[in-house]
Amino acid sequence: MPPRSFWGAKMKFKAACIFVDGENLRHSLCDLFCTDFDPTDYLPKKASWSAFFDDLVSKVDAEFRLRTYWYVVDEIDFWPYNLPKLRRDPKQLEAILRKDRYWAGKFDAESDLAKRALLVQATAAELQQRERSMKSRFDGWQQVQNGIAHHVDSVEFRRAGSIRYDLFKRRLGDEKGVDVKLATDLLSLNGIYDVGIVVSGDGDYVPAVQTVKDWGKHIVNVSFLKKSGGVLPGGARRLNQITDRVIEVEFGDMQKFMNVLPVVKAAAAAIPVAP
């Protein structure tokens, strides 16, 4: 925003940008409200993201929120890799399947080679179905992200890197590349913001934070408080120490921003009271 004149004098309004580590935020929400919203929904469906982001800006030395950059993965890397190709090579496929203890035991228990070959193919078919299911979920996550970007002012999702999904264990692994993109933007976009607000507990951002501080920027980190009042585990101690300030969001406030009602209370509220 350009300087505005006020009675002939020029005033510069301080702008804040928020940098959100998307997977870190999602894990924090799951830890805070694990029994009150379904994690398969990806994010709370009725969250007021504008209110949440604007509240963060109101707590720092800035007049307005220029933009929220929200960093998420661009793709999923599945393990085992390239199942359709592996299914055309039964020996290689069985060798990979044997890396999983459960399936290795099942193969060893089957002495009939023909039945074992059928078991390998059936296992591969099951894994491919899991891959299709996870791809569908991932597409749903991106639709949620697009919906937030469309309905909430000044929110931009930035997709980078990947996340691994183990088809055997049906478990997501660590992200790759997202933290690098966030740190790079924190540096490269320094010319447009006065205050940078980082929503993350990742100590890997410490070097980038130190650099932009040396450039004269004010950097704030965000932590979340549990219902008990303690800081949610996972917050990076070194990141909190190096930033200029730490905002601790109260559990009750976050509950209101996310519009997450306790399941028991929500159910009780739905029961009509007799006159």
Side-chain angles (χ1 to χ4, degrees):
M1 180 178 290
R4 294 181 178 179
S5 61
F6 180 71
W7 292 348
K10 287 187 176 180
M11 299 177 59
K12 183 178 183 299
F13 289 82
K14 288 187 177 181
C17 280
I18 302 176
F19 300 86
V20 180
D21 184 329
E23 192 65 11
N24 190 284
L25 174 61
R26 194 175 74 86
H27 279 303
S28 295
L29 293 175
C30 289
D31 290 341
L32 287 171
F33 310 114
C34 58
T35 60
D36 301 331
F37 94 98
D38 188 351
T40 60
D41 290 338
Y42 183 60
L43 292 168
K45 292 182 177 179
K46 298 181 180 179
S48 178
W49 294 109
S50 288
F52 171 53
F53 294 137
D54 290 342
D55 182 72
L56 295 180
V57 173
S58 73
K59 290 180 168 65
V60 302
D61 185 22
E63 280 74 31
F64 69 100
R65 174 171 62 91
L66 181 65
R67 186 164 291 115
T68 296
Y69 296 104
W70 196 326
Y71 297 84
V72 293
V73 294
D74 188 43
E75 59 184 357
I76 297 182
D77 290 333
F78 291 98
W79 170 256
Y81 305 119
N82 204 345
L83 273 173
K85 181 179 178 180
L86 286 174
R87 293 184 70 178
R88 297 192 294 269
D89 187 347
K91 288 185 179 180
Q92 183 182 3
L93 176 58
E94 181 175 347
I96 290 177
L97 294 178
R98 280 184 173 278
K99 293 181 180 180
D100 181 76
R101 184 182 303 174
Y102 171 77
W103 288 110
K106 295 200 72 169
F107 296 145
D108 290 337
E110 181 55 71
S111 58
D112 188 295
L113 295 180
K115 290 183 179 179
R116 183 184 296 178
L118 290 174
L119 180 59
V120 169
Q121 289 298 328
T123 304
E126 169 64 20
L127 294 178
Q128 203 161 359
Q129 176 56 41
R130 293 180 186 181
E131 181 175 321
R132 285 193 291 266
S133 177
M134 189 61 208
K135 282 181 177 178
S136 178
R137 284 182 61 192
F138 185 69
D139 290 343
W141 297 349
Q142 292 194 328
Q143 289 178 15
V144 172
Q145 296 161 11
N146 293 339
I148 293 173
H150 179 72
H151 292 101
V152 182
D153 289 343
S154 303
V155 171
E156 178 181 329
F157 282 88
R158 295 205 157 187
R159 298 185 172 99
S162 63
I163 190 168
R164 188 183 184 191
Y165 185 76
D166 189 320
L167 293 169
F168 292 126
K169 298 180 176 65
R170 299 194 227 194
R171 185 181 304 165
L172 288 167
D174 296 330
E175 296 177 341
K176 293 182 179 180
V178 177
D179 55 348
V180 174
K181 178 61 175 171
L182 191 157
T184 300
D185 284 357
L186 191 65
L187 295 166
S188 64
L189 297 174
N190 79 91
I192 69 171
Y193 66 86
D194 302 290
V195 182
I197 303 173
V198 180
V199 183
S200 176
D202 194 339
D204 290 343
Y205 299 128
V206 167
V209 167
Q210 184 60 65
T211 298
V212 291
K213 281 179 59 182
D214 292 344
W215 291 342
K217 304 302 178 181
H218 191 78
I219 305 297
V220 179
N221 192 39
V222 177
S223 296
F224 301 101
L225 299 183
K226 300 182 291 185
K227 193 172 184 179
S228 63
V231 178
L232 190 70
R237 179 177 58 85
R238 290 183 61 235
L239 186 60
N240 286 342
Q241 288 176 340
I242 201 170
T243 50
D244 295 299
R245 184 181 169 193
V246 177
I247 297 174
E248 293 185 341
V249 182
E250 299 281 347
F251 177 86
D253 291 339
M254 200 62 185
Q255 191 177 47
K256 292 177 182 176
F257 292 136
M258 297 299 103
N259 200 14
V260 175
L261 293 175
V263 173
V264 174
K265 291 183 179 180
I271 301 175
V273 180

